[in-house]
Amino acid sequence: MKFLVVFFFAFWSFLAFCQVDFSIIEQKKLEGDFEAAPSKVEFYLQQKNTTLHQKIQLFQTNGDLAMLSGDFDFAFENWKKAAQLRLKIYPNKKDYHHALTYASFSNYYYEKYDKILANKYADSCSRLLNGLTLNQQLELEIFKIWNILGQSYKQSVSASDYQKFSKIYTKTIDFYKKSVDFIVKNKLNKHYLAKSLHLLGNAYFDWTYAEFEAGNKEKVDFTQKKAIAYYDQAISLWQQLYGNQHYELGRTYFIKALLFSSLPIATPQLRQEALLNFRLSMKAYGYENFNKESMNFEKVPNKVDLLMMLKYYTTCLLEFQSINPHNIDYLNEAIAVNNAANTVWNRIHTNFKGKSINKNLAIYSLIPQSEEITIVMRQQLSEHEKMKRFFEANQKLKYYDLYKKKNGASSSSISAIQAKLKNNQVLLDFHFNQIDNVFYVLFIHKHKVRLEKMESQLDSIIKHLKTAIVEQDFTSYTQNARKLYKAIFSKPLTETELIICPVAQFNNLPFEVLLSSDKGINTNDYRKLDYLLHQKSIRYVLTPGSLSNQPIKVNGDIDVFCPQFNNQQFANLPFSTAFGEKMQQEVAGTHVFFNENATQQAFFNSKHAVAHISSHAVIGEEPGLNYMLLSDGKLMQSELNQLVNIPRLMVLNTCNSGNGKHFLQDGVDGFVREFHLAGVSSTISNLWEVDDKTSNELFFRFYNRMKEDSNSIMALQAAKITQVKNAPVSELAAPYYWAGHRLIGDAIVFKKMLPLDGKQAIVFWLLPLPLVILVLVWIRRKKKFKN
């Protein structure tokens, strides 16, 4: 009997021990204990007797925790796992439980600033919320879903379209108010009430801007006061719940500060109000007196939010210092805050699981090195120190994830770049300073360095130049090409090779089109112009640290994909097909996939060092929608991370394939970035909708040059020069027909098996020597045995 009592006691104790206590996880989450909460979740997920329902909630909670900590990709992974299990229990996709899936996915794409997908999932979620009972609403915690829907829908509209903005924001505010009323009526946790009030403040903050832009100045005061009132209510609740230190309190103080500092009508009094709230925000985050040692970073669950606050705090101080240039206190405070921002940025890069942290931060312009460069330019520093710090900060702004993947966490230096350069090379590292609205370019030569400042009007010149190229406007083209050349190359360069690391609008510009003199300008003939193409060899790098000056030798096998399209939206490309046929006939080592054989599977199975796609590409507003067409459908940009067989040279003869979404503080999010992140050494892509005939002729010349022992940089330059030189009429020598193809990355060289010379020849002849020796030894032993 005693044995049975002990057995049942042990059994029920075991069940109680393994019972998932979601209330503890929730409490730890609200307190901001992001060590204990995820640990509890992981513990329960490992238990064998955790039910399917519990696993769904645990994965959902794990995603919520990751989202609160700013790790969006990890959040999405967990929400997808919850969604898969949810489908097992509720196979009917119209079941209201799937509203949580759609809301979560909408939340993810909202944070990724993908308006289209955020809206799509919000719509799917909304359709499942009609006619729910109170118990079903409580089960879903519907107030959280309403808040997510409000966020997603408001992101889809710009304040510049006042009518649409008013309609969407009225709907958004209704969602937030429903959330507030539901929480109050059902006496739910005040944490979520404060959160909903904070979101209401955000909505009226945005509305303040919309009213200002629409010229409704009498309404600006009303919406601003509404925003402040909701923020103050939220602050009061945060303080009741947590005192004066909590991450949510820090966030509300920060957004309130932003309201005061960023309004177009900001007065000196409002600016001081902004600084006060920024300082209160730092205190709420536990950051006292700008002392890095005083802060326990692990107690800040969302380091991205903290980084956002520190960045805008720095920006605010720098703007105030611009108005009061002799006030050194603003600059000193900006230095202290920016140092803190850099510390947080480093911690994020060290700890987060996401693969593209800098890109995620760049969505909201949260990379602090841009402010660091502004500070460096305003400080009294030696030229050497100024250039050193400029370079170190600038390389962390552009494609830093790519650099980190290739080089680890260490930073490159100017001297390290100079060690790679040859005497005939110069690297131009560009930067656009948004606060001071100017361009900078750092010229790194083999034995010297100089930093030049260029006025912001370059932005307009570049836009006009690109338009003139595409529209083939000779007069506008020549005027702007000369202006830009003079602005960038105010001092002549003796080096013959330029390595360009672009930024902002420079990402859209082929430097080869700049005109080094007035020669031929009055002839109205594109063939007679003095293009920089004729003077310099030009290539591009995404970031200085990714520069490799050693040519990469590969076998001369080329996989060419020439798909066919059987729909009205996309025309067939006859010259691409002819290019494939000619390559197959005349260029040794070419393997062509025509028509229905040019599939995604064939591309992913390609094992040769060079891959070439001649097709259509669609570059949308959001990177997630970018694709190239192959015969069996869309090759999405997001699918390229599945590449196993990585080509060394990827040629994209597809319209606009060199473009994408611009992140001013990081780079361009498009196919080129994705291929380089996958491990491709060099890409050639198109900056506009190129001509089918001339582009394929150019690439045929390019590959022939490669086969003649030219590297990819020189071969592309030669192919372009030939296009200009052999043009039968002026029009076909226009940059539109040759300048759109841009090479980024390393020089690629085809290996030659014969003839061999020097050391290669010695190695070749020595290879069979061991075999010869073995044969001679065997013959000698055989003779000896016979004797």
Side-chain angles (χ1 to χ4, degrees):
M1 188 68 182
K2 267 186 182 182
F3 172 77
L4 286 174
V5 170
V6 171
F7 173 78
F8 279 113
F9 178 78
F11 177 73
W12 288 112
S13 297
F14 173 76
L15 287 182
F17 174 74
C18 292
Q19 184 64 37
V20 179
D21 191 341
F22 285 103
S23 63
I24 291 179
I25 297 172
E26 176 74 358
Q27 188 58 36
K28 294 295 180 186
K29 179 179 81 173
L30 299 186
E31 289 172 358
D33 189 342
F34 278 56
E35 286 183 353
S39 297
K40 285 277 184 188
V41 170
E42 289 300 329
F43 169 78
Y44 289 130
L45 280 171
Q46 299 303 318
Q47 304 308 308
K48 291 182 179 179
N49 63 328
T50 303
T51 68
L52 206 56
H53 281 91
Q54 288 171 335
K55 283 185 177 179
I56 291 171
Q57 195 171 345
L58 286 166
F59 280 124
Q60 187 69 38
T61 301
N62 223 19
D64 295 344
L65 289 166
M67 181 59 70
L68 283 170
S69 69
D71 199 342
F72 309 142
D73 294 328
F74 190 60
F76 195 47
E77 285 175 25
N78 280 275
W79 287 336
K80 282 193 286 188
K81 289 174 184 175
Q84 289 163 0
L85 295 179
R86 206 172 273 129
L87 265 174
K88 286 186 178 180
I89 299 178
Y90 312 106
N92 180 2
K93 290 186 179 180
K94 292 183 179 179
D95 188 289
Y96 72 92
H97 289 93
H98 295 299
L100 277 169
T101 294
Y102 297 131
S104 302
F105 289 2
S106 182
N107 194 7
Y108 171 76
Y109 286 109
Y110 164 80
E111 293 293 354
K112 287 287 188 176
Y113 218 73
D114 190 328
K115 303 173 189 178
I116 295 171
L117 286 177
N119 244 32
K120 174 189 168 184
Y121 283 111
D123 286 342
S124 298
C125 177
S126 295
R127 285 192 285 270
L128 299 182
L129 298 181
N130 296 324
L132 297 184
T133 66
L134 176 61
N135 283 338
Q136 288 171 334
Q137 290 178 337
L138 288 167
E139 179 192 358
L140 290 178
E141 295 184 303
I142 199 167
F143 56 91
K144 294 181 183 178
I145 293 177
W146 284 330
N147 285 346
I148 291 170
L149 293 177
Q151 295 284 83
S152 297
Y153 284 129
K154 80 172 189 175
Q155 193 186 65
S156 67
V157 64
S158 167
S160 58
D161 186 346
Y162 183 76
Q163 294 303 320
K164 188 177 179 182
F165 179 92
S166 300
K167 184 179 177 182
I168 294 294
Y169 266 69
T170 299
K171 182 179 177 181
T172 295
I173 286 170
D174 284 344
F175 275 123
Y176 296 151
K177 284 184 175 177
K178 277 169 69 175
S179 180
V180 167
D181 293 342
F182 188 86
I183 294 166
V184 171
K185 185 178 179 180
N186 293 284
K187 298 179 181 178
L188 302 176
N189 196 312
K190 287 184 178 179
H191 179 101
Y192 295 109
L193 177 59
K195 186 73 179 172
S196 300
L197 290 167
H198 173 99
L199 293 173
L200 269 168
N202 288 354
Y204 279 105
F205 181 162
D206 296 340
W207 209 316
T208 302
Y209 265 96
E211 296 294 1
F212 182 85
E213 286 195 15
N216 303 325
K217 294 185 179 178
E218 69 283 354
K219 293 184 179 179
V220 169
D221 188 53
F222 169 78
T223 52
Q224 184 187 357
K225 283 178 179 174
K226 290 284 283 186
I228 292 168
Y230 282 122
Y231 288 141
D232 285 343
Q233 287 179 59
I235 287 168
S236 178
L237 280 172
W238 297 133
Q239 288 173 329
Q240 288 176 35
L241 291 166
Y242 307 113
N244 289 323
Q245 274 197 14
H246 192 269
Y247 69 96
E248 292 284 12
L249 176 63
R251 189 190 309 196
T252 306
Y253 272 133
F254 155 54
I255 303 295
K256 188 180 171 187
L258 206 57
L259 173 64
F260 288 129
S261 64
S262 59
L263 276 177
I265 53 172
T267 62
Q269 185 181 352
L270 286 176
R271 291 192 181 101
Q272 290 305 318
E273 207 47 55
L275 284 180
L276 172 64
N277 279 275
F278 274 124
R279 288 164 184 154
L280 288 169
S281 178
M282 283 197 80
K283 188 174 181 181
Y285 275 114
Y287 216 145
E288 296 276 4
N289 303 318
F290 311 111
N291 181 2
K292 287 183 280 189
E293 285 69 31
S294 72
M295 184 169 195
N296 184 353
F297 282 95
E298 304 313 320
K299 292 295 183 184
V300 180
N302 194 329
K303 295 173 183 63
V304 173
D305 279 346
L306 174 59
L307 180 62
M308 186 184 294
M309 184 275 291
L310 293 168
K311 177 176 176 87
Y312 283 101
Y313 185 2
T314 307
T315 303
C316 176
L317 288 162
L318 290 172
E319 286 173 351
F320 294 171
Q321 202 257 337
S322 296
I323 299 166
N324 306 280
H326 300 297
N327 189 331
I328 196 68
D329 292 338
Y330 284 139
L331 185 59
N332 287 336
E333 191 172 344
I335 292 168
V337 178
N338 191 249
N339 285 340
N342 270 287
T343 302
V344 176
W345 179 85
N346 281 320
R347 189 63 64 94
I348 289 171
H349 269 271
T350 302
N351 290 354
F352 274 25
K353 302 170 187 175
K355 63 176 182 177
S356 298
I357 298 301
N358 240 42
K359 188 170 78 173
N360 290 343
L361 297 177
I363 290 172
Y364 295 100
S365 300
L366 298 186
I367 307 173
Q369 281 79 19
S370 56
E371 285 72 40
E372 187 175 345
I373 288 175
T374 306
I375 289 168
V376 165
M377 292 306 171
R378 294 188 189 182
Q379 284 181 292
Q380 298 297 316
L381 301 170
S382 69
E383 280 302 304
H384 172 78
E385 183 65 17
K386 189 169 284 192
M387 290 188 291
K388 173 179 172 289
R389 288 178 56 185
F390 171 94
F391 178 78
E392 289 170 353
N394 200 33
Q395 73 167 335
K396 292 176 181 176
L397 284 169
K398 292 182 278 191
Y399 305 94
Y400 186 69
D401 295 312
L402 174 68
Y403 173 74
K404 257 180 63 176
K405 183 177 179 181
K406 192 171 182 179
N407 299 282
S410 62
S411 294
S412 187
S413 62
I414 291 176
S415 58
I417 298 297
Q418 287 178 311
K420 295 179 183 179
L421 292 176
K422 299 172 185 174
N423 288 325
N424 69 324
Q425 295 175 319
V426 56
L427 186 144
L428 282 67
D429 190 16
F430 286 87
H431 169 75
F432 178 66
N433 191 286
Q434 199 171 17
I435 296 174
D436 293 333
N437 201 30
V438 293
F439 282 95
Y440 293 99
V441 58
L442 187 69
F443 292 85
I444 304 178
H445 304 257
K446 178 69 177 174
H447 301 293
K448 61 181 179 179
V449 190
R450 63 186 169 89
L451 183 62
E452 296 285 337
K453 176 181 175 182
M454 299 177 292
E455 296 305 320
S456 60
Q457 64 184 11
L458 290 188
D459 199 42
S460 174
I461 295 172
I462 295 167
K463 287 177 185 176
H464 287 131
L465 177 55
K466 175 127 184 231
T467 301
I469 291 171
V470 174
E471 294 179 357
Q472 297 180 58
D473 181 336
F474 185 89
T475 303
S476 177
Y477 162 68
T478 52
Q479 287 176 351
N480 287 291
R482 278 298 285 146
K483 280 182 192 175
L484 202 54
Y485 178 86
K486 290 175 182 177
I488 299 171
F489 303 105
S490 56
K491 295 179 182 177
L493 295 175
T494 57
E495 290 86 355
T496 56
E497 184 178 345
L498 307 183
I499 302 167
I500 310 291
C501 186
V503 73
Q505 288 296 330
F506 280 110
N507 282 299
N508 294 324
L509 176 74
F511 278 66
E512 297 93 317
V513 304
L514 301 184
L515 297 178
S516 10
S517 74
D518 293 332
K519 179 184 173 184
I521 285 179
N522 297 323
T523 65
N524 207 32
D525 190 334
Y526 282 108
R527 293 170 294 186
K528 297 181 179 179
L529 296 175
D530 190 12
Y531 300 112
L532 191 58
L533 171 75
H534 293 121
Q535 314 299 328
K536 311 286 184 186
S537 169
I538 299 171
R539 66 163 151 156
Y540 301 82
V541 291
L542 296 178
T543 177
S546 67
L547 172 66
S548 170
N549 232 358
Q550 295 299 317
I552 296 174
K553 294 184 179 181
V554 301
N555 291 326
D557 288 292
I558 307 162
D559 284 342
V560 178
F561 298 85
C562 303
Q564 196 171 38
F565 316 104
N566 298 313
N567 59 62
Q568 294 180 342
Q569 186 180 357
F570 297 100
N572 281 322
L573 302 169
F575 292 101
S576 291
T577 303
F579 164 77
E581 292 170 348
K582 198 173 181 182
M583 286 286 291
Q584 196 170 45
Q585 292 166 10
E586 300 184 31
V587 180
T590 300
H591 314 269
V592 186
F593 298 83
F594 288 110
N595 305 330
E596 67 275 4
N597 293 321
T599 63
Q600 296 174 66
Q601 192 61 46
F603 172 70
F604 280 109
N605 288 339
S606 169
K607 293 183 180 178
H608 292 129
V610 181
H612 178 115
I613 297 178
S614 283
S615 181
H616 294 286
V618 173
I619 309 298
E621 291 183 12
E622 305 301 335
L625 302 179
N626 294 344
Y627 64 87
M628 288 183 289
L629 275 180
L630 289 170
S631 289
D632 58 344
K634 300 173 181 178
L635 175 61
M636 306 300 295
Q637 178 187 321
S638 56
E639 295 173 337
L640 296 180
N641 58 15
Q642 300 170 23
L643 271 177
V644 177
N645 305 312
I646 312 295
R648 302 312 298 265
L649 172 62
M650 185 72 232
V651 180
L652 306 174
N653 191 19
T654 59
C655 295
N656 296 304
S657 53
N659 298 323
K661 190 176 182 72
H662 281 241
F663 296 129
L664 183 61
Q665 297 189 60
D666 182 66
V668 180
D669 192 3
F671 280 106
V672 171
R673 179 197 198 105
E674 213 68 50
F675 275 115
H676 281 271
L677 278 170
V680 171
S681 303
S682 187
T683 57
I684 299 177
S685 59
N686 297 341
L687 291 172
W688 50 74
E689 294 182 8
V690 298
D691 179 73
D692 184 32
K693 183 176 186 293
T694 54
S695 68
N696 282 294
E697 288 173 350
L698 186 145
F699 276 115
F700 182 72
R701 288 193 295 270
F702 166 75
Y703 286 117
N704 270 307
R705 287 278 185 170
M706 289 280 288
K707 290 291 182 177
E708 291 168 8
D709 209 18
S710 177
N711 72 49
S712 53
I713 298 166
M714 303 303 293
L716 187 60
Q717 182 187 22
K720 291 177 178 181
I721 289 173
T722 303
Q723 174 69 30
V724 177
K725 183 180 176 182
N726 294 351
V729 293
S730 167
E731 178 190 340
L732 291 177
Y736 168 76
Y737 289 101
W738 53 265
H741 310 292
R742 180 173 59 182
L743 186 148
I744 293 178
D746 301 323
I748 306 295
V749 179
F750 287 154
K751 291 177 184 175
K752 290 226 171 194
M753 296 304 292
L754 291 171
L756 296 173
D757 57 2
K759 290 181 181 178
Q760 286 181 313
I762 293 169
V763 171
F764 178 81
W765 289 112
L766 287 177
L767 277 173
L769 187 59
L771 183 60
V772 172
I773 292 169
L774 283 171
V775 170
L776 290 172
V777 169
W778 179 78
I779 292 170
R780 187 175 178 184
R781 288 187 68 184
K782 195 172 180 183
K783 283 181 179 179
K784 193 174 183 182
F785 178 76
K786 282 182 178 180
N787 292 333

